[in-house]
Amino acid sequence: MHDILPADQPYWKKINKAVESISNYYGFSRIDTPIVEQAEVFVKGTGQATDIVEKEMYTFRTKGGELVCLRPEFTAGVVRSYIEHGMHNLPQPVKLWTTGPLFRHERPQAGRYRQFHQFNFEVLGDRSASIDGQVIQMCYDVLKELGFKGACIEVNSIGDSECRPYFKKILASYFKSRKSSLCGDCQRRLKENPLRILDCKDEKCLQVKSGAPQIIDHLCEPCHTHFKQVLEFLDELQLPYTLNPYLVRGFDYYTKTVFEIIDKTDETTSKSSLVGGGRYDGLVKLLGGRDTPAFGAAGGMDRILSILRTKELKPDKKNEAPKIFLAQLGQMAKRKSLKLFEEFREAKIPVAESFSKDSLRAQLKAADKMGIKWVLIFGQKEALEDFITLRDMESGQQSEIKLDKVVTEMGNKINKK
Ligand code: HAM
């Protein structure tokens, strides 16, 4: 678990802003689901034999005896809300976006936190491949907007309940004959879900995996056609993608398309994915709703932030940083400055101050450090005679403004610039 420090906040704001504007543009509505939910929602939703449920969920019993958990992801909670609030009665598809904290008890390592944040897009009630293309595009756009140059999409299809069981059998028999070369976890996975072995990052398993059969060769006709269409959309959108036949993702709810976005130039997060998602046509029904196809994706905001910081992809501060500094001297000026400061706030003009510093020199120094253009000097004489001294920090020139005109005049100066 980690802090998002004041120095990180401009990056944080920039990420949030990019996500919100892209969500609005594509007609997504904001949803916020609770951080604590019935554990069952995620156990059923993401799958009993997934790493998330087996090892990573923060689950606990309330005093009333209910088994609840800190949400490890958004999707199952959003689907629960879609069902609970009868959103199938709305015009379909229902397009939802959200951001917020999630919790997974993972082994701490670069880019992996136990409390982390995602932006998340979900589209419920549409089975067409164009939705897959659109959500992938939106995720790519968020990264592009933030200045990422090396983002690359990896995409695969993992079939559906028609073709996947057969492929699992083929895969199981491939791995069975190589069982002794697999890690302990994967020997167990072989029984529960051999597909999960394809997701293992263990060196030994990676080697065995490299010769494994590929699901792409075993898709049923509808899954094959859907995947072909998705790739055509990605081509049309001119998105940089590669086929990764072993991409399966760590949730049981996925059907057909799965994808991840990696930053190839990143050195900080061990090339882990920045975004992951896919189609989950069976999840709404599994959680008690109607048969509803869906597609969604989520991006790791903490990973994105750490890359922005190391790559010095600095947020644009120009428009928000104050251009005015209010310096005050003496008790009476101090009192009146507080009021003036509030008047500036009401007029929505950002003004910096350093009320805790008493000497003018220290205050001017602080203003200079902030790169401020105008300093309003409010001393004893000014306070008594109701005027203020304006100092242009670039030219060093000073002039006087009547106190009741200060906010308007400074507003004009800023807007002229
Ligand atoms: P996920 O791949 O588990 O997918 O997470 C998506 C992104 O969240 C990852 O690509 C990564 O950037 C970030 N992330 C995951 N775990 C951590 C962690 N421990 N620390 C920091 N960042 C992390 C999902 O969560 C799915 N619910 C995505 C989805 C939405 N599928 C359909 N709809």
Side-chain angles (χ1 to χ4, degrees):
M1 314 236 174
H2 67 124
D3 300 311
I4 300 161
L5 295 167
D8 293 330
Q9 295 297 336
Y11 297 100
W12 206 238
K13 201 165 164 190
K14 186 174 167 164
I15 301 170
N16 276 295
K17 214 167 134 191
V19 171
E20 180 164 6
S21 78
I22 287 167
S23 303
N24 288 340
Y25 187 79
Y26 281 94
F28 281 60
S29 307
R30 170 110 200 174
I31 184 167
D32 285 290
T33 58
I35 290 174
V36 178
E37 290 236 18
Q38 305 273 1
E40 185 65 12
V41 171
F42 297 99
V43 173
K44 230 173 150 182
T46 61
Q48 186 76 54
T50 55
D51 275 359
I52 291 201
V53 170
E54 278 184 346
K55 303 184 198 155
E56 296 166 5
M57 264 194 355
Y58 286 88
T59 310
F60 55 98
R61 245 176 231 291
T62 63
K63 283 187 182 147
E66 269 180 300
L67 195 62
V68 296
C69 71
L70 303 183
R71 61 184 179 194
E73 61 129 24
F74 283 118
T75 313
V78 171
V79 168
R80 191 262 318 134
S81 178
Y82 175 90
I83 299 167
E84 190 177 323
H85 298 283
M87 289 190 221
H88 60 265
N89 292 320
L90 301 173
Q92 305 291 300
V94 174
K95 296 177 166 187
L96 302 167
W97 74 280
T98 189
T99 57
L102 304 145
F103 304 83
R104 293 182 194 172
H105 193 268
E106 302 214 50
R107 245 183 315 129
Q109 51 185 294
R112 254 178 218 288
Y113 304 101
R114 291 182 172 173
Q115 174 173 343
F116 61 99
H117 303 75
Q118 288 181 346
F119 64 84
N120 187 88
F121 305 127
E122 308 290 357
V123 180
L124 296 118
D126 197 322
R127 64 178 71 254
S128 65
S130 60
I131 289 295
D132 308 28
Q134 189 178 73
V135 174
I136 296 174
Q137 157 104 68
M138 286 172 70
C139 295
Y140 186 78
D141 277 356
V142 169
L143 297 176
K144 203 166 113 191
E145 179 111 357
L146 294 171
F148 280 78
K149 299 237 158 51
C152 184
I153 301 158
E154 294 192 352
V155 62
N156 191 23
S157 172
I158 56 165
D160 63 6
S161 55
E162 279 299 306
C163 49
R164 204 183 316 153
Y166 173 66
F167 176 69
K168 270 188 183 169
K169 272 189 198 154
I170 300 178
L171 201 61
S173 84
Y174 171 85
F175 283 126
K176 241 179 228 158
S177 58
R178 293 158 181 86
K179 190 171 172 182
S180 56
S181 313
L182 297 172
C183 73
D185 268 350
C186 281
Q187 298 201 3
R188 190 176 39 79
R189 285 175 183 138
L190 189 49
K191 242 196 255 149
E192 288 158 359
N193 186 356
L195 269 183
R196 199 103 309 134
I197 302 174
L198 298 177
D199 212 19
C200 183
K201 305 285 182 292
D202 187 287
E203 264 312 314
K204 285 196 304 187
C205 300
L206 284 175
Q207 277 210 349
V208 182
K209 176 175 104 172
S210 63
Q214 304 186 353
I215 190 162
I216 247 34
D217 301 325
H218 301 275
L219 293 177
C220 59
E221 189 49 38
C223 285
H224 188 267
T225 309
H226 184 90
F227 192 47
K228 199 166 146 262
Q229 286 170 349
V230 172
L231 298 184
E232 281 165 5
F233 277 113
L234 298 183
D235 285 331
E236 186 66 32
L237 294 164
Q238 297 187 321
L239 292 173
Y241 71 87
T242 51
L243 297 180
N244 177 351
Y246 299 123
L247 180 67
V248 286
R249 309 238 332 114
F251 300 88
D252 278 356
Y253 52 60
Y254 287 120
T255 51
K256 298 185 174 152
T257 322
V258 287
F259 83 100
E260 287 188 352
I261 306 184
I262 321 269
D263 177 14
K264 295 234 156 143
T265 61
D266 164 43
E267 303 294 332
T268 56
T269 56
S270 341
K271 301 223 170 5
S272 0
S273 63
L274 296 180
V275 174
R279 185 157 274 287
Y280 51 96
D281 290 345
L283 184 58
V284 182
K285 192 158 180 215
L286 181 75
L287 291 182
R290 296 181 183 183
D291 203 358
T292 310
F295 189 96
M301 296 170 71
D302 313 75
R303 288 184 192 172
I304 292 174
L305 186 143
S306 86
I307 297 176
L308 287 182
R309 214 174 28 207
T310 49
K311 285 195 175 166
E312 307 244 332
L313 294 171
K314 288 215 171 70
D316 184 9
K317 283 192 189 161
K318 260 183 250 145
N319 297 327
E320 288 151 38
K323 295 187 179 73
I324 304 171
F325 186 98
L326 184 55
Q328 39 61 42
L329 288 163
Q331 225 22 60
M332 191 201 242
K334 207 171 241 179
R335 216 174 41 240
K336 287 196 176 176
S337 316
L338 287 176
K339 184 161 171 281
L340 186 60
F341 198 67
E342 174 57 18
E343 284 167 19
F344 273 119
R345 192 197 60 77
E346 279 174 6
K348 297 192 170 47
I349 300 173
V351 173
E353 48 77 23
S354 193
F355 289 159
S356 60
K357 289 196 172 69
D358 276 337
S359 91
L360 182 61
R361 226 176 120 234
Q363 293 184 63
L364 288 179
K365 216 165 142 191
D368 198 42
K369 230 172 150 183
M370 290 180 206
I372 298 268
K373 175 152 169 61
W374 289 293
V375 176
L376 296 170
I377 303 170
F378 204 24
Q380 194 71 5
K381 184 166 188 293
E382 283 91 346
L384 273 173
E385 295 172 21
D386 279 339
F387 74 96
I388 211 153
T389 302
L390 171 66
R391 181 184 175 88
D392 183 328
M393 294 292 275
E394 283 162 15
S395 65
Q397 277 184 349
Q398 297 200 167
S399 55
E400 290 178 3
I401 310 178
K402 280 182 90 61
L403 198 53
D404 56 0
K405 299 274 185 315
V406 171
V407 175
T408 337
E409 285 206 19
M410 293 316 293
N412 291 342
K413 275 187 191 295
I414 284 181
N415 290 336
K416 244 190 254 163
K417 276 276 141 186

